[in-house]
Amino acid sequence: MDFKLFKEMLKKIFFIIFTAAVLACHAAPKVQPLVEGVTNIKPDEQQQLVIKEVVNLIESYNYKKIQINDSISSLILDKYINTLDKGKNYFLATDIKDFEKYRFQLDDDFKNGDLSAPFYIYNVYAKRLNEYFSYSLAQVKTKFDFNQNDTYVYDREKLPWANSAATLNDTWKKRVKYELVNLNLAGTTDQAKNIATLTKRYKDLQSQTVKVNNQDVFQYLMDAFTACIDPHTNYFNPSNAVAFNEDMSRSFEGIGARLQLENEVVKIAEVIPGGPVFKSKQLNAGDRIIAVAQADGDFVDITGWRLDVTITKIKGPKGTKVRLKVIPAGKEMSSKPVIVELVREKIILEDQSAKKKVKEVTSNGKTYKVGVISLPAFYADFKAANAGDKNYKSTTRDVRLLIDTLKNKDKVDAIIMDLRGNGGGSLVEAISLTGLFIDKGPVVQVKDLRGKIEVDEDENTGVAWDGPFGVMVDRLSASASEIFAGAIQDYGRGIIMGSQTYGKGTVQSSIDLNKLVNPGVLQRIAALVSKDRTTGTAPGSVSDIKLGQINLTMAKFYRVAGSSTQHKGVTPDVVYPSVYPMDKIGEDTEPSALPWDIIPSSSFKAVANLAAVKAGLIKNSEQRVANSLDFKFLIQDIKDLEVRDKEVSVTLNEAKLKQERDAKEAKSLARQNELRALRGLPAIKKGEKAVKQDSFDFIEDESLHVMADFMQQSGNYVMNLGSF
């Protein structure tokens, strides 16, 4: 959230929480019921404090002005149970009946910092998980008859909760059979090998279940809680908060490698270009890390650790040293490890930043060069910017450089901004990026919870690009993407192409809960926290207490013309069939979403009126789409998806299942070769894979043709924009 009112609100929030927290933490929570057969996970004092303060923040500052009452409590219980067991594969009807006593109790419990009920519910869930994984392991060696005409109901969501363990046992037995059938159809007819594969799969699942800690459970709960308020008020536990902020800044401090967990061992999945690992040339993808040491300290064996805990040990401030014990790829785990020493650096994630390419399109005998800028998110490294780093990472800075290259080196005739899949990000960047294409003026309006409207403007005179411009969007384009696309559309600055956007028109403020709580309370919690056995960190330090972060919905976005982007999103000028199901994805599919509304238009001057031009663009595009084999297949896919969406079961008869899959694969192969023939590519045979170079972006291709039409029909439509 980037408007002046936030500072004023933050002061009030600080005062309320500062004083409230002094009085907090004294009401003792109820005794949490124990569940036999599992290690009972319990909340800690930090989480008890967090839940109270999150309730306070939501009641005081959420845009909905909502009160956490019995109605909300009921919604939270249902959402939480659904989060844990949406498919009704674990809980029994007796469990659900037992949980009913909490239906109208959670609101009061949360205000008192009492988390015993949701943690008890999770422990019951963990018990059921363990029971069915154990049952499945016992069933793996069953000699199944794959010629029977039985079926496996994989989607039980609309069925009643199972009345007995025997009912779910039958479901899990059929799941085991289904997975064995799949292994058979995958080409492995050796039943002993398939049994070993499936046994390992279920043991791995059990192993991961054991690693779940109270931070995970708290995150499950908070996800359910905040989803009942609105879709975009979110709490992030400490590790998730770090990941969120790194994603926003497109950078982090560490060794420059992506890690994954495989057979309880951390493996390097990818080396990030330019980072310490890349520069050292001592590590490669596939190498396994078995121990970590900080600087000249002792090595700590990390085998069997959770991946997120391991990552916190390997990452660290730039300039610090870390040592790793590594088993190189291809060597046995019993091999002598290699010790690699690295100095951590700041890593810039270039592969997740803005990129450009130049495409050519021919229309009516004339060829145009079009620059396409792909933008995955609206990012900014605010930490670096606030520290005075003149080269801090940001969307606008990156795009400005790309435009300069496209304009002066590539000599393009037009530019398209590709915002497909761009879920948003920084409001400041959305405003400044818009300013690269319009002269100074309003970009977005923001209405706060008091009804006060603020107009946020681009205050920089001139533009970076004054030529023909287009924006590609889809159903996953949201938030800042919608602000940018909406402003370009309202100003008449360019053509919006694609499908209706997501409809996320709310403003969130990221609040670090540590900064809002009385330091004395943090010290008290630090003294109470027991030694962390996983990481070996000693208790007692306030710096060890991390409360996490809440992104709180505090306002709504409105376009400069007055229409909200909330719920309805942005409707493109030239509309294509949606690749994504519109009834499954989007703000209008969220039960707790805020409604669409309008406010008065801001005072802005449109660049041009493109109404007459749009009519011709739409007509030409509709004709191409109607004659396009790609779009024909897309429409068929949409219809097929609607049919599959209604299916809840699958046959366990191996011959029938093989016949169904062979038919689908044959249809897919025939379709693929039909498209390849259209593009002059050789046909591929069954089992062959198309190489990356063979891929074709038909949405982008149609957008290029729209831009060619635009240039031919509109002429030099942009007036008085100026340039940098």
Side-chain angles (χ1 to χ4, degrees):
M1 180 177 178
D2 303 292
F3 48 99
K4 299 172 185 176
L5 178 63
F6 176 56
K7 292 182 179 178
E8 178 186 339
M9 287 187 170
L10 202 59
K11 292 178 182 177
K12 294 180 180 178
I13 293 172
F14 181 84
F15 176 76
I16 290 173
I17 296 182
F18 186 94
T19 53
V22 175
L23 304 174
C25 302
H26 296 298
K30 296 185 286 292
V31 176
Q32 181 177 315
L34 296 180
V35 178
E36 294 183 2
V38 293
T39 301
N40 282 260
I41 300 176
K42 296 181 180 181
D44 57 37
E45 290 232 354
Q46 299 171 76
Q47 293 158 351
Q48 292 166 3
L49 172 61
V50 167
I51 190 67
K52 287 191 288 188
E53 305 312 341
V54 168
V55 168
N56 184 33
L57 282 169
I58 288 173
E59 289 193 329
S60 302
Y61 296 103
N62 185 271
Y63 188 83
K64 277 189 171 182
K65 303 177 182 177
I66 199 167
Q67 293 299 303
I68 309 304
N69 54 24
D70 285 356
S71 296
I72 298 297
S73 175
S74 180
L75 292 174
I76 294 170
L77 179 64
D78 289 337
K79 187 70 176 177
Y80 183 52
I81 292 172
N82 185 263
T83 297
L84 297 177
D85 190 10
K86 183 176 182 179
K88 297 182 179 177
N89 291 312
Y90 305 102
F91 287 132
L92 299 173
T94 50
D95 296 329
I96 302 303
K97 184 178 180 180
D98 177 36
F99 302 154
E100 276 298 310
K101 60 178 175 281
Y102 302 124
R103 181 161 297 280
F104 303 113
Q105 181 181 309
L106 296 178
D107 55 322
D108 296 322
D109 284 351
F110 289 0
K111 291 173 183 177
N112 291 324
D114 189 338
L115 295 167
S116 57
F119 273 75
Y120 164 70
I121 291 172
Y122 178 82
N123 290 330
V124 173
Y125 169 71
K127 179 180 181 179
R128 298 291 179 233
L129 265 180
N130 189 56
E131 288 172 349
Y132 294 121
F133 287 155
S134 297
Y135 177 80
S136 297
L137 280 167
Q139 298 304 308
V140 168
K141 296 181 181 179
T142 299
K143 191 171 183 180
F144 290 105
D145 181 357
F146 299 118
N147 296 314
Q148 290 180 314
N149 289 319
D150 50 344
T151 59
Y152 165 50
V153 179
Y154 57 82
D155 185 353
R156 292 178 42 85
E157 186 177 358
K158 295 181 180 178
L159 295 176
W161 293 97
N163 285 319
S164 66
T167 300
L168 285 185
N169 283 346
D170 181 64
T171 296
W172 278 86
K173 186 173 184 178
K174 288 181 176 178
R175 172 173 168 168
V176 170
K177 184 176 181 180
Y178 177 64
E179 295 194 34
L180 285 171
V181 170
N182 281 329
L183 290 172
N184 290 342
L185 294 180
T188 308
T189 56
D190 184 341
Q191 287 303 305
K193 187 174 181 180
N194 288 345
I195 288 171
T197 298
L198 200 53
T199 298
K200 180 181 180 302
R201 184 180 300 172
Y202 278 106
K203 284 185 176 179
D204 285 347
L205 288 171
Q206 276 190 318
S207 173
Q208 294 308 308
T209 301
V210 171
K211 290 185 173 70
V212 172
N213 60 28
N214 70 351
Q215 286 279 27
D216 300 316
V217 178
F218 189 57
Q219 188 68 65
Y220 298 150
L221 170 64
M222 296 302 283
D223 287 346
F225 175 22
T226 57
C228 295
I229 306 304
D230 72 78
H232 307 292
T233 285
N234 302 116
Y235 168 79
F236 298 102
N237 67 27
S239 61
N240 289 347
V242 170
F244 173 85
N245 293 320
E246 286 177 353
D247 183 62
M248 178 66 76
S249 67
R250 289 298 188 266
S251 66
F252 66 92
E253 294 180 352
I255 65 171
R258 291 191 174 92
L259 308 177
Q260 67 183 51
L261 197 64
E262 186 177 278
N263 299 328
E264 302 293 300
V265 178
V266 172
K267 185 176 79 172
I268 296 177
E270 180 186 353
V271 175
I272 299 173
V277 171
F278 179 84
K279 293 175 182 176
S280 75
K281 302 186 185 304
Q282 298 180 76
L283 295 171
N284 299 287
D287 291 350
R288 290 146 295 174
I289 302 171
I290 60 171
V292 180
Q294 307 302 320
D296 298 321
D298 295 333
F299 276 100
V300 177
D301 191 324
I302 59 169
T303 303
W305 280 25
R306 287 166 52 106
L307 182 60
D308 58 340
V309 177
T310 298
I311 289 173
T312 62
K313 286 293 182 183
I314 295 175
K315 287 168 65 175
K318 64 179 180 180
T320 58
K321 185 170 66 176
V322 63
R323 291 183 297 135
L324 309 173
K325 279 187 180 180
V326 179
I327 305 293
K331 291 199 173 184
E332 296 295 326
M333 287 298 294
S334 57
S335 302
K336 183 178 179 180
V338 176
I339 296 179
V340 176
E341 182 177 298
L342 299 165
V343 176
R344 300 174 176 109
E345 297 178 10
K346 183 171 183 176
I347 312 299
I348 304 297
L349 301 174
E350 295 293 349
D351 61 329
Q352 297 178 28
S353 304
K355 292 183 176 64
K356 65 95 176 174
K357 59 185 174 183
V358 178
K359 307 287 287 188
E360 289 190 349
V361 58
T362 301
S363 178
N364 295 327
K366 185 172 182 180
T367 299
Y368 299 93
K369 291 176 70 175
V370 181
V372 180
I373 298 175
S374 299
L375 188 63
F378 287 80
Y379 51 87
D381 190 344
F382 294 116
K383 183 178 178 182
N386 292 334
D389 184 351
K390 294 181 179 180
N391 296 312
Y392 72 92
K393 187 78 172 169
S394 87
T395 301
T396 306
R397 294 162 67 93
D398 289 350
V399 171
R400 190 196 301 271
L401 291 173
L402 295 178
I403 291 174
D404 185 60
T405 303
L406 289 170
K407 183 169 60 174
N408 299 312
K409 182 180 178 181
D410 299 316
K411 305 293 184 181
V412 297
D413 301 297
I415 290 178
I416 294 176
M417 186 70 67
D418 187 353
L419 298 181
R420 290 177 296 172
N422 185 321
S426 167
L427 172 61
V428 170
E429 289 301 316
I431 295 168
S432 59
L433 186 68
T434 305
L436 298 185
F437 301 94
I438 66 166
D439 202 356
K440 64 179 182 179
V443 174
V444 64
Q445 301 186 84
V446 181
K447 185 171 76 170
D448 65 34
L449 70 167
R450 299 182 303 180
K452 182 181 177 182
I453 298 172
E454 178 176 300
V455 180
D456 287 333
E457 303 189 10
D458 164 46
E459 298 177 349
N460 296 314
T461 303
V463 298
W465 175 254
D466 61 1
F469 184 55
V471 181
M472 294 169 60
V473 295
D474 64 10
R475 190 60 163 171
L476 299 184
S477 304
S479 194
S481 290
E482 295 171 301
I483 291 171
F484 178 82
I488 296 298
Q489 190 176 57
D490 287 343
Y491 272 91
R493 176 60 186 88
I495 296 297
I496 314 300
M497 303 163 285
S499 52
Q500 182 186 12
T501 60
Y502 192 92
K504 194 267 182 184
T506 53
V507 189
Q508 283 70 45
S509 298
S510 296
I511 302 171
D512 182 348
L513 294 176
N514 272 68
K515 295 180 179 178
L516 300 182
V517 174
N518 188 318
V521 173
L522 293 180
Q523 186 62 58
R524 179 175 178 271
I525 293 175
L528 292 172
V529 172
S530 61
K531 185 175 182 180
D532 188 329
R533 297 176 184 174
T534 305
T535 62
T537 302
S541 171
V542 170
S543 63
D544 295 331
I545 304 302
K546 305 294 184 184
L547 302 181
Q549 169 180 312
I550 183 170
N551 286 4
L552 187 67
T553 299
M554 299 178 73
K556 282 179 74 174
F557 291 129
Y558 294 83
R559 292 164 61 158
V560 291
S563 174
S564 173
T565 57
Q566 173 62 18
H567 212 274
K568 290 188 178 183
V570 175
T571 301
D573 302 310
V574 181
V575 178
Y576 311 146
S578 175
V579 174
Y580 303 99
M582 304 290 282
D583 62 335
K584 302 292 182 184
I585 298 173
E587 192 80 0
D588 54 4
T589 68
E590 297 284 353
S592 59
L594 276 73
W596 174 87
D597 62 340
I598 59 174
I599 61 174
S601 173
S602 63
S603 179
F604 75 101
K605 185 178 180 180
V607 171
N609 184 348
L610 299 178
V613 176
K614 291 176 186 177
L617 299 181
I618 293 168
K619 181 180 178 182
N620 290 349
S621 180
E622 287 178 345
Q623 289 176 348
R624 283 191 298 268
V625 168
N627 295 321
S628 166
L629 196 58
D630 291 285
F631 278 102
K632 175 186 174 183
F633 288 155
L634 172 60
I635 293 169
Q636 286 180 4
D637 286 341
I638 293 170
K639 291 180 180 178
D640 290 344
L641 181 61
E642 290 173 354
V643 173
R644 288 198 303 272
D645 218 32
K646 297 175 183 177
E647 297 174 352
V648 296
S649 63
V650 63
T651 180
L652 294 177
N653 182 293
E654 185 173 342
K656 286 184 178 179
L657 191 59
K658 184 177 186 304
Q659 186 178 22
E660 290 175 4
R661 292 189 178 177
D662 285 348
K664 289 178 182 177
E665 288 177 7
K667 177 182 176 182
S668 176
L669 182 62
R671 173 189 287 189
Q672 197 170 2
N673 280 330
E674 195 173 349
L675 290 170
R676 291 175 67 83
L678 185 67
R679 291 170 193 131
L681 297 172
I684 58 174
K685 298 178 182 179
K686 182 179 179 180
E688 290 183 349
K689 291 184 178 180
V691 296
K692 187 176 181 181
Q693 288 81 353
D694 294 341
S695 62
F696 180 71
D697 188 341
F698 62 93
I699 301 289
E700 179 188 90
D701 184 68
E702 174 55 27
S703 298
L704 291 171
H705 281 90
V706 171
M707 287 305 295
D709 289 346
F710 184 36
M711 285 183 277
Q712 291 185 350
Q713 293 183 30
S714 62
N716 186 23
Y717 76 98
V718 181
M719 302 295 292
N720 300 319
L721 284 176
S723 61
F724 288 108

